[in-house]
Amino acid sequence: MRIDNTFGANIIPDNDLDRIFALKRYHILDTPPEVNFDKIATLAAQIFQVPVAFISFVDAERVFLKANIGLGKVTNVNRAISLCALAILKPGVTVFKDTLKESDLILRSNITNQFGLRFYAGAPLITYDGYQIGTLCIADKGPKDFTKQDERVLRWLAKQVMEEVELRLSRIKTYEQQQDMDHSLIVCEPRAANDEPAVNGKKAGIPEKNKSILQDTLNESDIRFSNMMQKAPVALAMLTGRELIIESANETILKIFGKTTAVIGMPVARALPELERQVFLKLLDDVYTSGKPYYGNETKVEVEDEGQLKDIYFNFVYYPLLDETGSAYAIMIVANDVTDLVIARKEKERAEEMLRFAIEAANVGTWYIDMKTKTFMPSPRLKQLFGYYQDDPMPYDIAVNQIVEEYRDKVIAAVKATLDSGVRFNMEFPIIGFHDQKLRWVRAVGKLNDDAKSNLSNYSGVITDITEEKQDELRKNDFIAMVNHELKTPLTSLKAYVQFVGTKLKQKEDGFIINLLKKIDTQVNKMNSLINGFLSLACLESGKIQLHKQFFNLNKLVKEIIDEASLVSQHHTITLLSCDNVRVHADREKISQVITNFLSNAIKYSPKGMLIEVKCEIVNNCARISVKDEGMGIKPQHLENLFDRYYRVENKSTSNIAGFGIGLYLCSEIIQRHNGKIGVESKVDIGSTFWFILPLHDKKIAANA
């Protein structure tokens, strides 16, 4: 069998031949409408408050509509363009909340194009031996939510359809057996010569028996439908006459209102006195007099429960039943308890409102990007920060042009990394207002939210104005730079005086004074080191730090630094284990600063007499420098923050060691600006190894290097 498949997916199950064979045994294709199937389709339309409901059977190349509410005189649809062909592919309910958002359905679905319907839900009709031969479907002209409870109700109704199909087949077999029996009686019954053939006369009695079978069938169907109504998972009731007498009420509606079958036969106003203070009795009266249905959506009803009134929310319909003159003689009530759904939504709305209040109070801007439609939705505050008027359009690709050019590519790259790999977006950058041309600094934090179940994802986040904070920081850095400059000048002079006096005193061979001058010189060097650190930090945070790259021998630089460190600290043994001949393209002064910091820390945090080992080697086309000590080591919980600004490990062992926590932070920034990597391995009471890697060809090192 071959049909034109227009859905872009296989709609023919592997067992389709067996499935069609199972369908044929029910003798239901191309049969006229039947009351019980129409009743179930009508009930489905009323329960879900939709204009369209139908019962379909999927043949080899077509879909036959056995019951049809709302689709006119259509009885057959091409299988290749029917959503029912999709609905029989799985045992669960197939739901399209909005067909226009389903790319495979926009151009291919008959229900979307021919009938202009946007919502569809279909539950398969499953035979006793597991074949999905058709569907019970509902549809609407607008998008619609469909809950798990709705799916359960639709599956239940589909089960009722299938039971009716099985009962119908049973009736057909019974009728055929009776026909065979009657035929045998006609052949065997003796008759007089003048008698009419028994098959045409009353002697055989066949018409009367057939009438009896038909009547029994109708009675059985009515009883079954009544039982189905009683067991329905939605609230159902029938009110008759001008006084709206409760003729029937199923278990669900009696339980909701806290009543028993004692209310059957009573006027609804007497059975439910709590309704007198509410609008529902008037609505029922209007429906009865006008003959027009009334639909309620998430309507609150006060019901009595053990002497107390409680609020319940319903989706419901009051559906008038009309006689041949068009006048109502009864009202059918179909109601679905949606209390839990409404309460959950209200709680979510309250939470969202509180979040909105918090965001407004914090003066924070927000954004939201639908990853499917690429729609960018900025909040009013975000528009304000970017210098847009509230009624201005603000497309994403135009808005990024307000980012200062020096930072723009970095921000775009960071956003792309978030969208590609889901890493958290967190950046500070300056922007120029679109209209006011005002410079502002902002901090933006964003996240990719991916919902695998719904196949929906969005990129959202918040943005705050940090202009004042940034200006304070820049002023602080300017102040630090100024103070450091003022301190550096006298220290330079002091160092020169000490060296001059030391030279003079060497001739007098005054060992005490010479030793004292060496200590003064050491302290001056420490002071210079601190000042240089603060100057570097100020330059780094103001964005003024620059790399002056040149080609130089890294191994030669390492040896120079070890020689200088050995002169300063005569209590440690500093050993160069191996040093390959390595030539790099980098800022020699700043790389020297990093190695010096590593050695200085190894000396400070190691007991006297301990060994310090330095390595300079080529690993994976990168230069790797490491400094290993036998000091106190670092606990694992401190390692992650060790390269953060102003971070210091505080304990009894480090309390008497001077420092501001900026050395390793500067080292990290310097290495990162060289597209390198920096790290540490450490064990408490055993020692630490600090290392960094530089690319030999000035290329960024891979993340897994």
Side-chain angles (χ1 to χ4, degrees), residues 127-141:
T127 67
Y128 66 87
D129 47 356
Y131 293 107
Q132 290 154 200
I133 60 172
T135 60
L136 170 63
C137 308
I138 57 172
D140 204 342
K141 292 186 177 181

Side-chain angles (χ1 to χ4, degrees), residues 205-347:
I206 296 173
E208 291 300 326
K209 289 182 180 180
N210 288 348
K211 286 180 182 178
S212 176
I213 293 171
L214 179 60
Q215 188 59 50
D216 289 344
T217 297
L218 292 174
N219 291 339
E220 184 182 1
S221 295
D222 288 341
I223 292 170
R224 187 187 169 283
F225 190 77
S226 178
N227 290 337
M228 184 189 81
M229 299 275 281
Q230 282 297 320
K231 300 296 182 181
V234 294
L236 300 171
M238 184 77 74
L239 310 180
T240 59
R242 193 68 184 81
E243 293 185 351
L244 301 176
I245 304 297
I246 301 176
E247 181 179 289
S248 64
N250 74 349
E251 296 172 4
T252 304
I253 199 168
L254 290 175
K255 183 178 179 181
I256 289 171
F257 283 94
K259 305 298 180 182
T260 67
T261 53
V263 299
I264 304 297
M266 295 171 57
V268 69
R270 185 152 62 89
L272 300 170
E274 60 266 34
L275 296 184
E276 290 183 4
R277 302 183 303 275
Q278 303 176 63
V279 70
F280 303 102
L281 293 178
K282 184 178 185 309
L283 290 176
L284 286 166
D285 188 69
D286 290 344
V287 169
Y288 193 89
T289 55
S290 69
K292 296 179 180 179
Y294 178 85
Y295 296 90
N297 185 51
E298 295 185 358
T299 305
K300 184 174 76 172
V301 184
E302 289 184 353
V303 300
E304 188 176 315
D305 183 24
E306 298 180 353
Q308 300 292 324
L309 290 177
K310 66 176 183 180
D311 294 340
I312 298 181
Y313 293 86
F314 287 101
N315 290 342
F316 69 92
V317 58
Y318 294 156
Y319 196 84
L321 303 181
L322 309 179
D323 59 22
E324 61 275 3
T325 66
S327 300
Y329 65 87
I331 296 177
M332 185 176 183
I333 298 176
V334 180
N336 196 7
D337 185 351
V338 292
T339 304
D340 292 342
L341 185 67
V342 172
I343 290 174
R345 195 194 70 247
K346 287 181 178 292
E347 288 177 352

Side-chain angles (χ1 to χ4, degrees), residues 445-456:
V445 179
K447 181 184 177 185
L448 181 66
N449 306 292
D450 197 0
D451 188 343
K453 289 184 178 179
S454 62
N455 198 27
L456 297 176

